[in-house]
């Protein structure tokens, strides 16, 4: 964290495209959670960002960055911690929207801030909002996310569902799977109920692929696939550090059944479909039985 410049990148995000980041806490970690899997060093949860960059400082740096990097997909509000702790969030978002051009605006948040209506109103100004939902079970939520203020996960789920109804942009939920914590099928069946209540546009399922703050581990790719299959009714992406090289032969009926159960990303198809299976999928696309859609920067194949 030696570089305190608030704007960084661009970074090619596997979930959102080419991203230019705005770090709202560039000088230190500032988060109201102390998640066991955090790639930043463990720290006591806080409720505000100390010595945050000013709006003028951020906008000035962003203008300069946009002059150099013109083909940006998203401008991402993030932090060494939780970006909704930034005290001038709404005003900042208004200013970013004035200069963003064709880029979309995105925030990467743990979601806890939406219990505050002022923060909700700030987030309404964004194109994409990503919230974490690592568990819908209170005891597991506490063990993984280790929040300061005694947040009840059921209340947070209700707040997310309310936000989804009022938000005009795209809502993405992210689940980070930690071995021995939320890697049981029962956990995913419960979180699937919460997802159906919230009705996000997309769910991203991933696991630990960078050194975490605490002594915890992720799960392997096959287990991640198994758990993600428990989520239904919404497009799902699976983030992997390493691609699965195995290619599979799918018949037309198998592809249709697969897409009915869960839409597939273009990355899923590239990684798992044989060339012949891709040809079948393309035929279905041309016939109109299947179509492509973009959900918060990720392309999916879906049934009509």
């Amino acid at each position: 964290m030696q570089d305190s410049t608030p704007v960084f990148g661009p970074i090619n995000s596997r979930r959102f495209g080419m991203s230019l980041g705005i770090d709202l806490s560039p000088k230190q970690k500032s988060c109201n959670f102390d998640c066991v899997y955090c790639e930043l060093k463990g720290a006591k949860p806080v409720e505000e960002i100390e010595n945050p960059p000013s709006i003028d400082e951020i906008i000035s740096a962003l203008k300069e960055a946009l002059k150099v990097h013109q083909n940006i997909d998203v401008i991402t509000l993030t932090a060494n911690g939780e970006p909704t702790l930034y005290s001038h969030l709404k005003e900042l978002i208004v200013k970013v929207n004035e200069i963003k051009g064709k880029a979309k605006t995105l925030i990467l948040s743990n979601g806890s801030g939406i219990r505050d209506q002022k923060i909700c109103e700030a987030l309404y100004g964004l194109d994409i909002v990503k919230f974490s939902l690592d568990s819908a079970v209170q005891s597991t939520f506490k063990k993984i996310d280790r929040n300061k203020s005694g947040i009840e996960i059921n209340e947070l789920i209700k707040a997310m569902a309310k936000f989804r109804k009022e938000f005009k942009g795209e809502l993405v939920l992210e689940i980070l799977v930690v071995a021995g914590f939320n890697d049981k099928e029962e956990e995913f069946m419960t979180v699937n109920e919460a997802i159906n209540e919230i009705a996000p546009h997309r769910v991203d399922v991933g696991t630990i692929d960078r050194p975490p703050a605490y002594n915890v581990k992720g799960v392997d790719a096959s287990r991640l696939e198994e758990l993600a299959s428990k989520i239904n009714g919404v497009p799902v992406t699976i983030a992997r550090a390493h691609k699965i090289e195995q290619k599979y032969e799918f018949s037309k009926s198998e592809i249709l059944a697969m897409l009915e159960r869960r839409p597939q990303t273009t990355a899923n198809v590239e990684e798992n479909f044989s060339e012949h299976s891709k040809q079948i999928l393309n035929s279905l696309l041309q016939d109109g039985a299947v179509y492509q859609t973009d959900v918060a920067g990720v392309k999916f194949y879906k049934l009509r």
Side-chain angles (χ1 to χ4, degrees):
M1 297 183 198
Q2 294 177 349
D3 186 356
S4 60
T5 303
V7 175
F8 62 93
I11 293 171
N12 190 4
S13 166
R14 60 192 172 193
R15 296 171 295 175
F16 298 103
M18 194 60 70
S19 168
L20 202 58
I22 299 175
D23 188 346
L24 300 180
S25 180
K27 296 179 181 179
Q28 71 282 314
K29 181 177 178 179
S30 302
C31 193
N32 57 341
F33 285 13
D34 185 27
C35 300
V36 294
Y37 56 73
C38 185
E39 62 192 70
L40 302 175
K41 186 177 179 180
K44 183 179 179 181
V46 298
E47 295 294 342
E48 62 181 6
I49 297 173
E50 290 186 16
N51 302 313
S54 68
I55 292 177
D56 288 344
E57 182 183 353
I58 293 168
I59 294 301
S60 176
L62 181 59
K63 284 180 178 178
E64 291 302 311
L66 288 172
K67 288 178 184 177
V68 178
H69 307 291
Q70 298 177 3
N71 297 318
I72 297 297
D73 296 308
V74 290
I75 297 169
T76 305
L77 298 176
T78 182
N80 285 313
E82 173 52 38
T84 62
L85 298 182
Y86 187 72
S87 55
H88 305 292
L89 188 61
K90 185 174 182 178
E91 297 92 329
L92 174 62
I93 290 170
V94 169
K95 293 290 187 181
V96 171
N97 282 335
E98 290 174 357
I99 64 170
K100 69 177 184 176
K102 295 180 180 179
K104 292 186 176 182
T105 48
L106 160 71
I107 195 167
L108 305 179
S109 169
N110 62 30
S112 62
I114 57 167
R115 297 169 299 147
D116 183 336
Q117 186 59 30
K118 288 183 179 179
I119 291 178
C120 285
E121 290 172 2
L123 300 185
Y124 292 156
L126 296 166
D127 296 304
I128 308 169
V129 169
K130 193 280 295 179
F131 291 146
S132 295
L133 185 64
D134 297 321
S135 178
V137 177
Q138 181 65 23
S139 58
T140 308
F141 170 66
K142 286 179 65 176
K143 289 176 183 176
I144 294 177
D145 293 339
R146 296 153 54 98
N147 65 83
K148 179 183 179 182
S149 51
I151 298 169
E152 292 292 326
I153 191 60
N154 287 337
E155 292 179 7
L156 193 54
I157 290 166
K158 286 183 172 61
M160 288 183 181
K162 180 176 181 291
F163 177 84
R164 166 67 175 88
K165 291 176 182 176
E166 298 168 349
F167 181 47
K168 304 301 182 185
E170 294 176 301
L171 177 63
V172 177
L173 296 182
E174 180 180 41
I175 304 169
L176 203 295
V177 181
V178 184
F181 287 77
N182 60 344
D183 59 340
K184 303 294 186 293
E185 292 187 6
E186 294 80 4
E187 279 278 345
F188 265 70
M189 291 172 68
T190 304
V191 84
N192 184 55
E193 292 177 5
I195 288 166
N196 288 332
E197 180 179 347
I198 297 165
H201 294 83
R202 191 181 93 206
V203 174
D204 295 342
V205 181
T207 192
I208 298 169
D209 59 9
R210 299 178 188 180
Y214 297 95
N215 186 25
V216 293
K217 296 180 180 179
V219 298
D220 62 30
S222 62
R223 184 57 178 160
L224 208 58
E225 288 272 3
E226 291 172 1
L227 294 171
S229 71
K230 305 300 177 187
I231 299 171
N232 55 51
V234 61
V236 177
T237 71
I238 302 173
R240 306 186 190 91
H242 304 287
K243 293 181 179 179
I244 297 175
E245 298 297 335
Q246 180 68 45
K247 305 289 185 180
Y248 296 95
E249 287 286 347
F250 298 111
S251 67
K252 179 179 178 180
S253 61
E254 286 174 331
I255 292 173
L256 291 171
M258 179 191 302
L259 295 178
E260 183 177 18
R261 182 170 60 87
R262 194 173 84 197
Q264 297 291 299
T265 67
T266 52
N268 294 150
V269 171
E270 283 301 316
E271 291 172 18
N272 299 327
F273 279 45
S274 69
E275 288 303 316
H276 182 242
S277 300
K278 289 178 187 176
Q279 291 172 9
I280 296 173
L281 179 60
N282 285 331
S283 296
L284 291 169
L285 199 61
Q286 292 171 8
D287 293 342
V290 171
Y291 70 101
Q292 266 195 343
T293 184
D294 186 295
V295 182
V298 176
K299 288 184 171 60
F300 285 86
Y301 291 97
K302 298 182 74 174
L303 280 186
R304 286 208 181 273

